[in-house]
Amino acid sequence: DSAEKYRHLLIDSIRQRYGSRRAAGAAAQEQTQPLAFSQAFVNLVIRHSKASHLKERMDKPRQDVAGAPEPEECADTAVKVSDLFCSVVPSGTTKVIFLFGKPGTGKTMLMHRICQKWAEGVLPQFLFTFLFEFRQLNLLKRKLTLKELLFDLFLQPEDSPDAVFQNLLENAWRTLIIFDGLDEFAANMDLSSSSKGGPTLTSRMSISELFVDLCHGKLLPGCTVLVTSRPKRLPNFLLNTVEFLLAEIWGFDHEKVEEYVSHYFHQYSFKEQAIAHLKSNAKLLSMCLIPALCYVVCVCLEYLLLKHQRSVELPQTMTQFYIKMLLIFINKQQGEHADGEATQLNCNKKAILGLCDLALKGLEDKKLVFYVGDIPEHVKEFASLHGLLTVFEVKTSGTCPEAGYAFVHLSLQEFFAALCLMVSRRVDKNYLKKKFSLKSKWTLKNEAKTEFMESFHIFLSGLSSKECRTFLMLLAEQDEAWVQDKQDTILQSLKKLAATHLTGPKVIELCHCTFETQDLKVAQHIGSLLNFKYEFKNFRLTPLDMSALVFVINSGQDLTYLDFAGCLMDIDSLEVLAGCNNIEHLSFRSRRCGDDFASALSKSLRGMGSLKKLELTGGSITAEGMTNLVQASSQCLQLEEINLQDNRIRDPEVKRVMDLFSRMEKLKKIDLSNNDLSLNAVLILAKEVIACQNAAELRVRKDTVMIYFSGPSGKVPRSLDLRWEERKEHVIPTRHVKLCLQDRSLSSQHAKEIVAILQSCPCLSEVDLSGNKLGDEGCSCLLESLPWIPISKQLDLSQNCLSVNGICSLLKSVNTCQKMMEVQVSLCHETAVLRFTENEEFASLPPREEPVFSTDDQQYGEENQTPTASKKIRLTDSRFQASDLEKLYAVLKECSSISELDLSNNYLGDKGLLQLFQFLPNLKMLSSLKLNDNQISLNSVFFLAQSLSTLEHIKRMNLRGNNISTTHGVNCSFPRVRSTSRWRSSFLAHPKHVAAGRCFRLRDCRVGPEDVTRLCQILAQCPQLTEIDLSGNSLSDQSIERLLSFLPYLCHLTLLSIRNNTFSPRCTVLLINAINLCGRIRMVEVRSSENAFLHLGASVRSQKTSCRLTDCAIGQGQIDELCRVLEQRGWLAEVDLSRNQLGDEGLRCFLDRLHRVPVTCSLNLSHNRISQDGVLHLINAFATSGNTAEVQVSLCSKATLIIKLTSRDDPRKILRLAECNFQPEHLEKLCLLLEKCTGLTEYISSNNNVTVQAAERLLHSLRKNLGLLKMSIEEPWVCKESVTNLLELAVQACGNITEITICKDKTLFQLGVRFPHCLEKVESVVSRLNLYKPEIKHACFYQRVREKCAQLQELRWSHVELHNDEAEMLVKILLPLPELKKFGLTSSSIMPTGIEYLIMGLQNCQAIEELNLGHMKLSGAAIPKLVLALCEMPSLKRLM
């Protein structure tokens, strides 16, 4: 019938098109189509129904190479071509097979091969097969029906097309439609491409719509669609809606390369030489894994072997191979008489440049197929002659087909396009940069590519190498500088790309570009920028990729971290890594990393001379693979860490492996976690770790298994201590081993084996067996052997199902094991830890308390000459029952050597506490007993307090509880006995040291007045009680009053503390009144009405007492009572009432009674809300009181108010006022008050809002009967006033001026004035000054200055600006004064003429002894004059 006839027609057509030889163009194909493509090995990685996972991956912008599958989901098995078509979908469902591969891996040739095999009957399941190439489909501009697509574009039936088409529809499940080169399709392809509504067979659609609907099964449902593409982004419709099979063409492996090369050179005698040459060159072999490159390499190798059979030098890069191939093709046509390559290139230059233009224009116009009219005739002839273009029929309609031309491979078109950019004069550097940056290529990931430039940038990089420079110069007819300028543009762009954020695949592409340049400096620069970017996740890496990566890494100067996570990788790729010297850290994470992978990696490790850390995690390595890997690693002496976690190493060869580890001197860590190691394997590992001399720690916890190493094996240093030399058996190694076997279900049946393991190691420091199931029996077995197990630090038996019997076994070990230092046990927390002294005989002892000695000299016998290490038992949080206590106490009674016993939170109760104290005297070494939270009653509190008297060795007792009748905490401390002869002799010579002070603390209880009375009666009987702490007990006023009444009877008490107890104002006064109840009190301190401290002295001798009541809300109402208390105690050193609420009225009341306290003390009233009025009242009291020596006030944020009182005749009377913000009315009152203060010796005013006028009034007011008065004013106006104005202010002061200081940088104006004013001496002084009678403009002012300053002794000016008239006055009036001893002029400005005045004046200064001219800018001419003037000063002693 017509359908069968059409089928045979299809078979004949396909045989003609895709047979072993095509009829047309056989000569051209002879050179362009490798003969061995039909035998090419195709390794297919199959992935079934993972479209949802692929979509998830595509949504992540960091993951590139979208066509590649997530490797961890792949089967990674080689399949036959026929296996691709095995049905895995329900009948009637369209099956889509997506086949991808990198450029040159033979996708198109495989499609031809499939068609050929179908025509030969190899695929009988298909009745019809159609093949469409997307590069041809790009040429269609019109819409088609499905029937037109199949018949018009592939093969038209000879008759009855409708019947044939109907038969196709009926047998759709036996129809194969192949679409080759999806990546070459110019239009976008997504879900929108699907036809709207249900498509009909007569509907005309675009190619994208037809393709999408075929894949969706809307057209020809049940057919098989096979699609090929380079590894680029998959169309969304495939990811979202289609169940498809995914496969990848890997290309050749080493075996197939050899097979292909053998076939290529089968007619030559040098076939074996060619194969051997490729095998010896790892880089060439990596290139040959790509079939298209393998062909190019064979072409070049053939040419070189025919010319130079002995010396063969092949190109280094893909670009250089393409150039060499072009030159060889040209040369072959010339035969034996061919001229040199340069000559041949010149002869064909026009055609080559035309071909370059055609290639670039095609890529820019998204055109891969050209018609006859697109190609100049001379270009077509040249390209066809040399096999660079292939010709084929192009059908765009049912009419006659046209001839179409295309480059034999897309990569070849990319090569010529890149060459065009490098040799064309029309292309400048900016255009070159734009083309090379390829943003769509390098950064965008989710948009369809707009240019077919997979290898374009690689070729551009290759053409920028020095080796290509001559070729480019000949082709471009330009000099070297012109070509180098273009090459430098590419290299600079490469460097900039390295500095951007790149994903793993793009790093590999950049490495390929860098490798193509063969420029070591560029590679070094890029390598330094990529140093921390070598992280590759979830894409395939070929040996060629690894070669490029290793080239860049080895070119850098830094050591790198190389991380491969889930990456598909050939075993051959690992061989490439062997030559990488700069890898410091190498990591592989993939389930496909099994024993074969580990074996292959082992062969490469020796070549990595800098490798310190190796990780193979999440793989399938077994014990055998681990052994092989470790054996190879043992040769890497620099290796420090190996991580093999999450593999399948269940029962490793522990002994052999640990022996290998012991040879690695720098090894620090091995990680074998999550490998399902059996318990038996863990115990064997523990035994071998202990035996391994450089092993330091084994850490096992559930599935975590890590081994740590330290120090070279077999080199264990020994102690040089002479004492050890005398006793060789005590020499111990410095090696310390930690053994941790946690949560491994160790039971009592393993106890003996564990003991044997522990006893075999003489240098254990820590052993952790927590989280197991040893139980009482297993732990007892272990503890019985403890004296013979050399543990130096700690044994942890926590969480081992221990009962009270097990705890008793632990406690007994305190007596049986001499090196035991501490036992820490808690049943509630399942804690059981034993700690040991690191050196049994010479352990470092903790600090000891003051010793207490018995009068019995027998304790100083020989048996006590060596210090005994203190031992501790912490038995807490166990909530023992009454029956349990009997067992425990029976054991504790025998632990006479313990120094600390902690039984906190055990619910002992009153009965348990009483039982404990019955045997407590037996514990002679006990220095600390803690009984916190044991539900004891108040009666037990009194009993405990009484024990301070009955048990002489208790030193401290801490009781803590939340309720008087429920829980209490008790912490008793005891003095330790030092029993060496050295301590004995010392203390016998000083009997006063025999007894040490004791401490009683009762906290966080509610204690009533009667309880306080009873407690104090008990404590009063306690000898040497030095400290009582009753904090947090909610003591009432009555309770505190009773407590204070007992102070005289607590003869040795030095400190009473009551913290966290709210005090009323009355209670605060009660506390202060304690100074009148007990003469030994030295200080009473109450803070924030909550914390009180009473410090007491040793005797009632007359000493000063301090009272500090800070932040206690003391106001006016408490002043009378407080003063009444203070008046009773006349010998006070300090009264601190700061941060209270006195206010102005409270201050007034306090000051009114102040004269009744005739003591010398400091009174602090800071932060008491005092205003200016309060300050004025204070100044009034200061002026009228005879016992106030100093007042210091500041109303700024510091709010300072300090009064110093004295009962003796103190000549000083100082007033300091700062930042009081006085208003005019306040200043007037201040002046009136100061007029009454005739005993003032010093007045200091700083930033009190005092104006110049107020200062003048103030100077008039300040006076005294006899003596010196010092006045200081700091105000902003000081730095603004002239020197003359300040002197005019100075002469307003009463008395004779002895000092004038002006410091404008500090805004300070200071005077010293002596009283009374002695007018009788002025005339004689003036008469002497008249000898130098100057012509003074302001005679009256100057006369006044002379009179007031006649006794001037010190003159200091700083940062002033002296005009000439002021300098003249200084020289003629002030400097000649006969009493002037000190003169300073520093950091000031003065006119040159003023400098001369000054130097002249200094020559007449007979009395000056000290001169300071610091930081004065003197000219070079002035300095010699100054030196001469200084020589004329007879009294000068000091110059600054």
Side-chain angles (χ1 to χ4, degrees), residues 768-886:
D768 188 346
L769 300 175
S770 60
N772 287 291
K773 300 176 182 179
L774 293 174
D776 293 346
E777 183 181 350
C779 288
S780 295
C781 177
L782 184 62
L783 293 168
E784 287 172 4
S785 305
L786 202 55
W788 297 276
I789 299 177
I791 304 176
S792 62
K793 287 188 179 179
Q794 178 173 299
L795 171 62
D796 193 340
L797 296 174
S798 303
Q799 298 174 338
N800 264 291
C801 309
L802 288 180
S803 68
V804 174
N805 292 331
I807 291 177
C808 289
S809 298
L810 285 171
L811 297 179
K812 288 177 182 177
S813 64
V814 173
N815 291 328
T816 59
C817 184
Q818 293 301 315
K819 61 189 176 183
M820 179 81 69
M821 292 288 290
E822 180 179 343
V823 177
Q824 182 177 346
V825 183
S826 168
L827 281 181
C828 294
H829 299 147
E830 294 188 77
T831 304
V833 180
L834 288 75
R835 296 184 177 89
F836 307 86
T837 174
E838 292 193 25
N839 188 319
E840 181 180 345
E841 190 168 354
F842 290 92
S844 297
L845 299 181
R848 303 187 182 235
E849 308 294 340
E850 288 298 322
V852 175
F853 291 97
S854 168
T855 56
D856 187 1
D857 288 347
Q858 292 180 355
Q859 63 179 314
Y860 300 109
E862 289 297 320
E863 70 276 11
N864 292 319
Q865 293 301 310
T866 302
T868 303
S870 61
K871 297 189 177 186
K872 306 173 185 177
I873 293 180
R874 305 185 191 278
L875 187 54
T876 61
D877 303 287
S878 296
R879 302 181 182 179
F880 294 118
Q881 302 298 319
S883 57
D884 299 332
L885 290 178
E886 292 181 6

Side-chain angles (χ1 to χ4, degrees), residues 904-907 931-935 960-962 967-970:
S904 300
N905 198 18
N906 283 309
Y907 294 1
L931 299 168
N932 297 330
D933 302 319
N934 269 291
Q935 291 190 329
R960 184 182 70 248
N962 298 314
T967 60
H968 277 278
V970 181

Side-chain angles (χ1 to χ4, degrees), residues 144-148 165 199-205 219:
L144 302 170
T145 63
L146 175 62
K147 180 180 175 182
E148 290 172 339
F165 186 64
T200 62
L201 295 176
T202 57
S203 303
R204 292 185 178 276
M205 293 176 280
L219 293 174

Side-chain angles (χ1 to χ4, degrees), residues 1381 1383-1385 1402 1408-1414 1418 1423 1426-1427 1429-1431 1433 1435-1440:
K1381 305 294 184 183
F1383 170 60
L1385 182 64
L1402 288 174
I1408 291 180
E1409 298 176 356
E1410 182 179 306
L1411 177 62
N1412 186 357
L1413 297 176
L1418 302 177
I1423 292 175
L1426 176 62
V1427 172
L1430 295 176
C1431 295
M1433 300 173 66
S1435 302
L1436 188 63
K1437 297 178 181 178
R1438 187 179 183 192
L1439 176 65
M1440 293 179 284

